Amino acid sequence: MKLLLLIALTSLLSGSSLLANTPPALSATMAAQIAQDDLSSRGLEEEIYIWQMTYKKDSLVNEEAYWEVLWNKAFKAQTKGRKEYGLRIRMTGDYRRAVK
């Protein structure tokens, strides 16, 4: 039983390592443009800017790959009592605002 579990886990990890070398479906340039367009559409480009971008690969923790874009500072979100600190941009170009 333990052997079967080990074989299954090994094949899962080796399959995901093959995917690790493929480039993101959405380029960093496109993700940055989406984030910048979002800031511009809300009139925030004068005070808020992209501070950091990280590509988060799909894995056991992340169901799908996305670009995490962080702003230089958090600001008041649309949801009362929350602060927006960035965006999560999916490989399709759809995005969600990251709030805490």
Side-chain angles (χ1 to χ4, degrees):
M1 182 70 167
K2 287 182 182 179
L3 181 60
L4 287 175
L5 182 60
L6 181 61
I7 291 170
L9 184 60
T10 303
S11 66
L12 177 67
L13 293 175
S14 67
S16 64
S17 67
L18 292 174
L19 296 175
N21 293 328
T22 60
L26 182 72
S27 71
T29 305
M30 289 300 299
Q33 187 62 55
I34 290 168
Q36 192 61 47
D37 289 347
D38 178 70
L39 290 174
S40 296
S41 73
R42 297 188 283 162
L44 297 171
E45 70 276 4
E46 295 298 320
E47 60 184 287
I48 306 297
Y49 57 87
I50 297 170
W51 175 61
Q52 180 178 345
M53 283 182 57
T54 306
Y55 177 62
K56 303 287 188 165
K57 297 177 187 175
D58 55 340
S59 65
L60 296 175
V61 177
N62 301 323
E63 292 181 12
E64 61 182 331
Y66 62 91
W67 284 101
E68 180 178 61
V69 178
L70 301 178
W71 306 135
N72 63 309
K73 62 181 178 180
F75 57 92
K76 191 175 182 179
Q78 293 175 339
T79 306
K80 187 177 179 178
R82 298 279 195 132
K83 296 262 187 188
E84 179 177 328
Y85 63 91
L87 297 178
R88 287 188 174 186
I89 305 173
R90 297 167 55 189
M91 294 299 107
T92 61
D94 298 335
Y95 62 91
R96 225 181 256 191
R97 292 190 173 96
V99 297
K100 57 180 170 180

